Amino acid sequence: MTVRRDFQEPARCRPDLVIGREELSTAARDQLRRGGSVLLHGPAGIGKSTVLRSLAAEYGESARTVLRCSATESESHLPFLALADLLGLALGEVSDQLPAAQRTALESALTGRGESTLQRDGLALRLAVLSALRALAAKGPVLVVADDLQWLDPASAELLGFAARRLGDTPVQMLFAVRTEGQEYDRHLRASPPDTVAVRLGPLTRAQVSALLDHRGYTGLPRSTVRDIHRTSGGNPLFALELGRALAENPTPPRPGEPLPVPTSLRALVLNRLEMLSYEARRTLLVASAGARPTVALLHAAGRENAEAETAQAAELGLLATEPEGPAVRFAHPLISAALYAEAPAQDRRAAHAALSTAASDPIERARHLALATTGTDPDVAARLAEAATLARDRGAPSVAASMGLLAARHTPADSTPGPDERRLQAAEDAITSGEVDLARDIAHDVLGRATVPADRVRAWMVVIEAAGQALGDVDAVFPQALADAGDDPRLLALVHYQLAWRGLVVEGDFAEGREQAAHAAELAARAGDRRTELLALAFQAQTETLMGHPDAPATIKRALKEPQDPQVACHHNGAGSTRFRWLIMSDQLAEARNTVTALLREVRRRGMVESEVHFLRLLAETELRSGHCGRALDLARESLRLARDSGIGRVASALLTSLAEASGGDVDRALALAREAVEHAEEDGDQMYISRTLAALGHAQLVAGDPEGTVRSLRRVRELEHALGITDPARGRWHGDLAEALVRIGEIGEAQDVINVTREHALRLERESVLAVLDRAEALVRAARGEHDAAIAQLTSVQDRLAKLGYGLEEARAAFALASLRTASRPGPTSYDEAARLFRRCRALPWLRQVEAAAAAAPAKAVPAPDPALDALDGLAAMERQVAALVMEGATNREIAGRLFISVKTVEATLTRVYRKLGIRSRVDIVRLTAGRHPK
């Protein structure tokens, strides 16, 4: 008999497991697949039951018998209840196989028709449970599933533990979930087999919370709100969903600077101990919940004289976390603070803010509290808030500046100068800078609903366009309205024509149109004295000319770099600094390109410019990839992609670059998945510029994956798209060599030579030395396919040397690999792949290294030596340790490493000490020896 599986969830609920639990569920699956048992543990609401149900549904299919129980606190005092849930339905199947004494004791315990107790029938009961499980397992595998193990009645827990410890090789697996607040799960392992793996479920990331909310139907929430939900919930899925539901049901969003509304269900959950506090202690905690970084000293300054004793009382009740080091007053969970604030009457909240408006030491914090303590408009309060927004902007906190700006607008009288809408628009522009595009778009539409001043309307339209990102086709109807509002004002027209330049490039796919619109915008801005817009337009013009291979590109770059400069534009991802970087990397000046983008990245991080940070992380990753530092490139690309997904900015571009990095130094399957995702999104956005770039990344990943037919399909389309776009500089995408190589592999020799000839003509005109070298590498493969082996080998030898001198480490290694392969094909006998393996290992190009090893194994020669075990140990290092070790391998000094990774020299030294200890080596020299695959001495 198979026990009914009544624990399966409807299919619509199962996707919750996928959200944020992939690695944890993989560990649990691996253990269950091996025949072992699993204990899931974590705090209330963290998603244990969801994971348990999904795993049970998945692995219950392979079990003959599934035994299940789900305990509750209210029933935990009833002896043998959990045992009855587990074995009640199976008793009839096994009872005749039990000795009489065991059968009598078990039936009595399960049915309640006798007086069976652990004290009187302990041994018989214990042996009966063990015998019952063995009898069931004799007919097929058994899976025991128990949720909320902490509420198991003590008798059932004792019996289950006794059996679990004695099952041995019997095919009985156990899958349990238990609520724990810390790591104290050990005592629950007593009910599990000895080899049980404990898997702790931790909080979700912000991106995972966003995905969970979307999955449950709470879509359309601004990213700033999702950020607040993540912070308030502490990443707890249950708390996040309840907060999302409360926001969806509440038509009035919280004021800027206020905590989120907390639903009654969560208030009761986290504030049940609040009634044990005195009235004054509750007032003190309310002041702490209103403060951004409360300390005992701040509470004293806010008039809470007995703050020490009252916070100590709250800590004893578990409302506050104890802080043995430091003066901070920290709530045990962020939700407690939000619930306390939500529970308090409005007048008490205003009183708390009023006290903090004079007690806080930071001027931004004082202004925030003053705003939240004030009702109605007040020009003095508005002015204070506007000053605070300016200060936050200068500090590199545009998100805070946006919040302060909205508060300033709320308190600004309608007839003031500047008016409330002007302050709202400044807040929207700050929100764009901080990556909160949803908030910016909402503010702009709010202003457009009532504004009549042309300057305000055009400014709001610009925010709407900026918030669209690459999906400019979605806001196509905005441009005629913006032009109508701009009238004949050259300053306003310059703004609109600058955005029309982007539309020409992204939507129309017309570089010539984009260049003309940018030049017109620069002219209008210069006439109006708007240097900021002029610089942006000139940078755009220079970028399009660079990609088109236009001869005016160097002169336009010089114009864009001419003084006076706008500090924000100078480091903007669409500014002249970014354009200059693109020129440098396309001109093979890798060292200067790296210095340029590193300085830009440092500056935008200081200013809090999130979109620019995503962009420059990606460009730095691209530089490292070109230089052959694949491990470093992969770390940077993944960081860029995480930030892009978290902020919703630049996801397509970051995905395609991460695909290239994965194909070179990571996982090829992941590279293919990312490239396909990027192609899909670019096509959905109608982004003509990025469709070709994403297809180029897909083609490269297909080549590395050994799919030349797929590579040819993808890259032929890239060739067509770039021809239509008017892109002639082959250094833009660098896909031409891959296409020629793939064409050779599928036997299209003539087409491969045509690709090389056409591309070489442009590369010679623009002096793209690295492109020419890669084309020569592809041409050597064409010659080899035609039987010209000696000429091909000579050409490849030259190519490898040229690429090495240019600093293109990965391309150099690919040339060495091709050279070794040709020598094997033309001269049967021992052939060494050692040089290619060494170069790929130096680059940390693991997918390519696996290809070399496979080729060496197949060749009639000695196999490539296995990688040094100490070198493989790098994979066990933490991310920062791996980055530092990789830079040491490149010969960077500690100071250079510190500058590249934005850390201190002391941090570099401490990290190296940990690396030495983990690798069992003593010095930097030993790390360099690892690069060459030699054992340290």
Side-chain angles (χ1 to χ4, degrees):
M1 180 189 76
T2 301
V3 176
R4 179 172 56 92
R5 299 183 179 92
D6 57 355
F7 53 81
Q8 293 186 8
E9 280 287 289
R12 62 181 175 82
C13 295
R14 292 185 196 168
D16 287 354
L17 173 62
V18 178
I19 300 173
R21 303 303 187 200
E22 292 84 355
E23 292 185 9
L24 297 176
S25 57
T26 297
R29 284 193 183 95
D30 289 344
Q31 173 69 357
L32 291 169
R33 195 178 297 115
R34 291 191 295 265
S37 298
V38 173
L39 174 69
L40 306 170
H41 67 102
I46 205 67
K48 302 180 299 297
S49 297
T50 301
V51 176
L52 180 88
R53 286 192 293 265
S54 182
L55 290 172
E58 184 177 347
Y59 286 90
E61 296 295 333
S62 60
R64 177 187 179 273
T65 305
V66 178
L67 309 175
R68 177 184 179 272
C69 73
S70 183
T72 63
E73 184 177 10
S74 61
E75 298 172 341
S76 60
H77 65 286
L78 300 174
F80 307 122
L81 181 60
L83 190 66
D85 287 342
L86 287 170
L87 293 177
L89 293 177
L91 182 59
E93 183 181 357
V94 300
S95 61
D96 60 346
Q97 301 176 49
L98 304 181
Q102 294 180 24
R103 180 170 62 250
T104 301
L106 185 58
E107 289 178 345
S108 176
L110 296 183
T111 62
R113 289 195 293 268
E115 295 294 329
S116 180
T117 65
L118 275 180
Q119 288 73 26
R120 192 181 70 186
D121 302 316
L123 181 59
L125 269 175
R126 288 174 170 84
L127 292 175
V129 172
L130 178 59
S131 298
L133 291 173
R134 284 174 172 166
L136 289 170
K139 301 177 180 181
V142 176
L143 178 65
V144 181
V145 183
D147 199 1
D148 285 317
L149 200 63
Q150 74 277 3
W151 303 133
L152 239 65
D153 61 275
S156 296
E158 169 61 27
L159 292 171
L160 196 58
F162 177 86
R165 291 189 294 273
R166 290 165 175 79
L167 285 168
D169 295 332
T170 305
V172 177
Q173 294 177 266
M174 297 186 178
L175 176 60
F176 296 159
V178 63
R179 180 188 301 178
T180 56
E181 293 304 322
Q183 296 288 334
E184 69 284 2
Y185 60 88
D186 290 356
R187 62 188 180 90
H188 299 291
L189 287 173
R190 290 198 296 269
S192 308
D195 65 342
T196 298
V197 169
V199 178
R200 177 169 178 79
L201 275 69
L204 300 180
T205 66
R206 191 194 326 181
Q208 290 163 353
V209 165
S210 178
L212 178 63
L213 292 167
D214 286 344
H215 168 71
R216 287 300 181 89
Y218 304 125
T219 56
L221 293 172
R223 291 188 177 273
S224 56
T225 301
V226 174
R227 177 196 63 198
D228 292 341
I229 290 175
H230 177 254
R231 183 181 63 243
T232 303
S233 68
N236 185 294
L238 173 65
F239 296 171
L241 288 171
E242 286 296 297
L243 290 167
R245 180 179 60 80
L247 283 167
E249 295 174 354
N250 185 1
T252 306
R255 297 168 64 190
E258 284 187 339
L260 295 176
V262 179
T264 304
S265 59
L266 292 185
R267 295 188 200 183
L269 179 64
V270 301
L271 297 181
N272 56 355
R273 288 163 285 187
L274 192 63
E275 295 179 357
M276 302 176 67
L277 285 175
S278 66
Y279 172 76
E280 291 300 322
R282 292 179 66 169
R283 291 288 299 274
T284 296
L285 287 193
L286 174 60
V287 175
S289 71
R293 294 172 295 278
T295 62
V296 172
L298 177 64
L299 295 176
H300 276 303
R304 309 309 303 164
E305 297 178 355
N306 298 316
E308 288 96 338
E310 290 159 355
T311 54
Q313 182 188 4
E316 290 176 3
L317 294 173
L319 293 167
L320 295 179
T322 56
E323 293 284 355
E325 300 177 2
V329 175
R330 186 169 62 86
F331 285 89
H333 192 282
L335 192 62
I336 296 175
S337 173
L340 268 168
Y341 189 91
E343 189 81 6
Q347 64 269 21
D348 289 352
R349 294 202 295 262
R350 286 196 295 271
H353 286 297
L356 289 168
S357 68
T358 58
S361 59
D362 185 79
I364 297 176
E365 193 64 15
R366 287 199 302 270
R368 181 178 77 89
H369 290 301
L370 179 61
L372 296 176
T374 305
T375 57
T377 59
D378 185 318
D380 293 333
V381 172
R384 287 269 302 275
L385 287 161
E387 291 171 2
T390 300
L391 180 58
R393 203 174 301 118
D394 292 342
R395 287 180 179 178
S399 178
V400 176
S403 178
M404 293 297 103
L406 287 175
L407 285 171
R410 183 185 293 270
H411 291 286
T412 300
D415 57 352
S416 295
T417 302
D421 280 345
E422 190 172 346
R423 283 178 167 154
R424 288 188 183 94
L425 288 170
Q426 179 62 64
E429 290 163 356
D430 287 328
I432 287 285
T433 301
S434 66
E436 298 179 34
V437 293
D438 295 332
L439 174 62
R441 186 188 301 112
D442 291 344
I443 296 170
H445 282 302
D446 177 47
V447 171
L448 286 166
R450 60 174 173 273
T452 58
V453 178
D456 288 348
R457 291 188 61 80
V458 171
R459 193 174 173 188
W461 288 128
M462 295 304 100
V463 170
V464 172
I465 294 170
E466 287 280 353
Q470 296 296 121
L472 287 179
D474 294 347
V475 293
D476 226 15
V478 165
F479 291 96
Q481 299 177 69
L483 281 170
D485 284 330
D488 57 1
D489 186 325
R491 184 177 64 85
L492 301 181
L493 284 171
L495 292 171
V496 180
H497 281 281
Y498 171 67
Q499 295 297 348
L500 282 169
W502 279 105
R503 181 190 175 280
L505 189 62
V506 173
V507 179
E508 300 296 334
D510 191 334
F511 272 64
E513 170 68 14
R515 176 178 178 270
E516 289 176 12
Q517 289 284 2
H520 186 40
E523 180 186 347
L524 288 166
R527 195 191 316 163
D530 181 357
R531 182 62 173 163
R532 182 180 189 278
T533 304
E534 181 188 7
L535 289 169
L536 285 169
L538 286 170
F540 181 92
Q541 181 183 345
Q543 181 179 344
T544 56
E545 290 174 350
T546 298
L547 296 176
M548 294 168 67
H550 197 285
D552 290 348
T556 308
I557 292 174
K558 288 181 180 178
R559 287 176 62 199
L561 291 169
K562 188 178 178 181
E563 296 294 341
Q565 288 289 315
D566 181 297
Q568 185 124 354
V569 174
C571 64
H572 194 274
H573 59 281
N574 288 328
S578 179
T579 302
R580 180 173 179 271
F581 162 83
R582 179 57 59 193
W583 175 266
L584 289 169
I585 200 168
M586 291 173 70
S587 303
D588 301 324
Q589 301 179 57
L590 295 180
E592 193 170 352
R594 180 187 291 109
N595 292 338
T596 298
V597 73
T598 299
L600 289 168
L601 178 60
R602 184 181 296 114
E603 181 63 15
V604 297
R605 280 176 165 168
R606 187 185 71 80
R607 292 175 175 269
M609 299 166 66
V610 174
E611 183 173 6
S612 295
E613 181 179 357
V614 172
H615 186 83
F616 291 135
L617 275 170
R618 188 171 66 248
L619 294 187
L620 183 54
E622 181 182 350
T623 308
E624 299 295 358
L625 197 57
R626 297 268 178 259
S627 303
H629 307 149
C630 298
R632 169 78 171 140
L634 187 57
D635 288 336
L636 287 164
R638 287 174 175 172
E639 184 181 353
S640 173
L641 184 58
R642 282 193 298 270
L643 186 57
R645 286 177 168 168
D646 193 36
S647 63
I649 294 172
R651 287 174 292 186
V652 171
S654 292
L656 80 86
L657 197 283
T658 308
S659 171
L660 292 170
E662 291 283 0
S664 298
D667 182 273
V668 179
D669 289 337
R670 192 177 299 127
L672 289 166
L674 283 168
R676 291 187 176 113
E677 172 192 332
V679 171
E680 180 182 349
H681 287 302
E683 289 180 332
E684 285 176 0
D685 291 342
D687 187 341
Q688 300 302 313
M689 183 169 62
Y690 269 103
I691 290 174
S692 66
R693 296 195 63 189
T694 54
L695 282 168
L698 176 59
H700 180 73
Q702 290 167 324
L703 182 70
V704 180
D707 178 16
E709 293 85 358
T711 299
V712 170
R713 284 194 302 272
S714 297
L715 297 185
R716 277 175 175 165
R717 190 176 169 201
V718 174
R719 181 174 58 187
E720 294 169 1
L721 289 168
E722 291 203 353
H723 178 73
L725 288 167
I727 296 173
T728 61
D729 193 332
R732 184 247 188 180
R734 297 177 181 269
W735 48 267
H736 313 76
D738 285 348
L739 175 56
E741 182 174 335
L743 286 166
V744 170
R745 290 189 190 183
I746 66 172
E748 297 289 346
I749 309 301
E751 185 180 350
Q753 188 64 60
D754 288 343
V755 169
I756 293 167
N757 292 342
V758 171
T759 308
R760 181 180 283 142
E761 182 180 348
H762 294 299
L764 285 168
R765 175 174 58 86
L766 297 168
E767 299 180 348
R768 302 302 192 219
E769 292 298 326
S770 62
V771 174
L772 289 167
V774 169
L775 291 173
D776 283 352
R777 184 182 68 204
E779 189 172 54
L781 299 179
V782 171
R783 287 182 169 180
R786 290 172 173 165
E788 304 171 16
H789 293 288
D790 290 341
I793 288 173
Q795 189 169 18
L796 278 174
T797 303
S798 170
V799 165
Q800 181 180 345
D801 182 60
R802 287 155 58 196
L803 288 169
K805 290 177 179 177
L806 288 168
Y808 283 77
L810 183 58
E811 300 295 352
E812 176 196 358
R814 287 181 63 179
F817 185 22
L819 186 58
S821 300
L822 283 188
R823 284 174 173 158
T824 300
S826 62
R827 298 188 180 92
T831 301
S832 176
Y833 283 87
D834 289 353
E835 174 70 0
R838 182 186 69 81
L839 291 173
F840 282 130
R841 193 174 293 123
R842 184 184 67 184
C843 294
R844 303 292 297 164
L846 302 182
W848 288 104
L849 184 59
R850 285 190 285 270
Q851 290 191 34
V852 172
E853 291 169 346
K862 63 177 183 179
V864 175
D868 193 294
L871 182 60
D872 286 345
L874 290 181
D875 293 334
L877 299 178
M880 177 62 72
E881 294 166 352
R882 192 168 60 251
Q883 291 177 25
V884 170
L887 290 173
V888 169
M889 289 177 178
E890 297 167 21
T893 66
N894 286 4
R895 186 168 299 280
E896 289 170 341
I897 294 171
R900 295 263 288 277
L901 299 183
F902 309 105
I903 57 178
S904 68
V905 174
K906 287 186 177 180
T907 301
V908 174
E909 294 169 349
T911 303
L912 277 174
T913 300
R914 293 195 301 272
V915 169
Y916 298 156
R917 184 173 65 250
K918 289 183 178 182
L919 298 183
I921 60 179
R922 292 176 293 180
S923 69
R924 295 167 61 95
V925 174
D926 291 338
I927 294 180
V928 176
R929 288 194 178 104
L930 288 178
T931 308
R934 298 196 301 270
H935 287 279
K937 296 178 180 178

